[in-house]
Amino acid sequence: MYGLKGKSAIVTGSGRHGGIGEAIVKRLASEGCRIVVSDLGAAKGDEFSAEHIGASAEMLAIADACRALGSETIAVPCDVRIEAECKALVDRAVEAFGRVDILVNNAGVGYLMEPFTEFKESSWDAVLDVNLKGAFLCSKHAAIRMQQQGGGSIVNIASQAAKSGFPFAAAYTASKHGLVGLTRSNAVELGRHGIRVNAVCPNHITTGLGHWQNKFFSEKLGLDYDTYLKGIVDKNPLGRTGLTEDIAKAVAFLCSEEASYITGEALNVSGGEEYH
């Protein structure tokens, strides 16, 4: 992508093998970006178990893979719910690379789903804290640096759930709708500083998280796993589920100079399944 070589990029939630974040950092690395791989690093209680977070060893392995693509890369653990850690993440990127040109807010919780009348307050708080508050905090501190240096690009990984409602996912859907609102507000306010802010809205992708969601929804709907997955494919105009690489391509485009006049958008990357 034109204009990405030498840029420095932070990607939160990029420390899990097979995830969207891993695909994004590898794509940006292949385009010549310098990379900060970031994830929680270690489990934190029941809501952030080892099954669902990027551990330090995974982060380091993904950083090595980026280096193999020719990228200067560091790995920095960060709990995006904590402002001091978000500031430290941005500061570390500036310390390593002199500036921060790109922030991709990819950290997210999509595995705390419950019937609405049984939805726990702790689950609601965990989802909103990561998916929305985390993007706010990281964007705030990245924007401070971007203002000082004369511009940058922020991309928020939203979801089809930012445009449509889904059962058992009140917190997730609310957080992703909110993330599009944050995108639009920040685009309006930060544009005069040369900072572009956009969102990408994927539909279902069978990552590790996607596999968990397939199991959850197939059980709730009384379908076997393969039948449920076939239904997802059958309703898609392009006849397939999304790939992590599909999202990574969209992110690279939005961060590039080819998208220099695009801001405030919530781009559907859904094979035509979501079109508003």
Side-chain angles (χ1 to χ4, degrees):
M1 289 289 178
Y2 174 71
L4 284 176
K5 187 174 179 60
K7 299 286 189 183
S8 63
I10 301 169
V11 183
T12 66
S14 58
R16 292 194 71 198
H17 289 303
I20 291 173
E22 180 188 32
I24 292 170
V25 293
K26 286 182 175 179
R27 178 59 189 247
L28 293 178
S30 72
E31 297 287 350
C33 289
R34 298 172 292 175
I35 302 295
V36 181
V37 175
S38 186
D39 215 297
L40 193 56
K44 287 192 173 183
D46 294 339
E47 284 147 350
F48 304 98
S49 64
E51 177 187 2
H52 294 296
I53 61 96
S56 292
E58 278 186 290
M59 289 169 53
L60 293 171
I62 291 170
D64 285 342
C66 290
R67 293 187 195 102
L69 293 168
S71 168
E72 294 180 63
T73 303
I74 60 173
V76 182
C78 178
D79 186 336
V80 299
R81 301 171 298 167
I82 301 172
E83 182 164 12
E85 293 197 22
C86 296
K87 181 180 184 299
L89 174 64
V90 174
D91 289 346
R92 183 70 182 90
V94 174
E95 177 187 327
F97 304 131
R99 55 190 291 123
V100 54
D101 300 292
I102 295 164
L103 168 68
V104 182
N105 286 306
N106 177 67
V109 174
Y111 52 84
L112 293 175
M113 296 189 180
E114 301 156 2
F116 181 66
T117 55
E118 301 170 18
F119 214 99
K120 296 187 289 293
E121 183 180 3
S122 59
S123 297
W124 176 274
D125 289 346
V127 174
L128 271 291
D129 278 355
V130 174
N131 294 9
L132 189 53
K133 180 183 173 183
F136 151 64
L137 291 173
C138 289
S139 295
K140 172 185 173 180
H141 289 284
I144 291 169
R145 293 289 190 171
M146 290 175 178
Q147 285 181 17
Q148 294 169 354
Q149 68 196 29
S153 176
I154 298 172
V155 178
N156 297 316
I157 304 302
S159 169
Q160 184 181 11
K163 307 286 185 77
S164 298
F166 290 87
F168 314 113
Y172 185 78
T173 301
S175 72
K176 295 301 186 178
H177 273 69
L179 191 54
V180 170
L182 180 68
T183 298
R184 291 169 175 163
S185 178
N186 286 355
V188 171
E189 183 172 346
L190 299 176
R192 65 190 180 93
H193 299 288
I195 301 170
R196 296 184 299 105
V197 188
N198 292 288
V200 173
C201 299
N203 64 343
H204 179 77
I205 298 175
T206 303
T207 58
L209 172 60
H211 174 64
W212 182 93
Q213 292 172 341
N214 290 345
K215 289 173 59 180
F216 176 86
F217 281 108
S218 61
E219 290 170 6
K220 287 292 184 183
L221 296 172
L223 300 171
D224 67 74
Y225 185 97
D226 291 338
T227 300
Y228 174 76
L229 195 58
K230 184 177 185 300
I232 291 177
V233 172
D234 287 347
K235 70 181 180 180
N236 189 285
L238 293 185
R240 68 171 176 87
T241 56
L243 304 173
T244 57
E245 291 79 5
D246 296 323
I247 312 310
K249 292 173 188 176
V251 171
F253 166 69
L254 289 172
C255 294
S256 76
E257 291 302 315
E258 294 175 27
S260 62
Y261 199 55
I262 298 175
T263 195
E265 294 295 333
L267 176 66
N268 297 319
V269 183
S270 69
E273 185 179 336
E274 192 68 52
Y275 48 83
H276 75 284

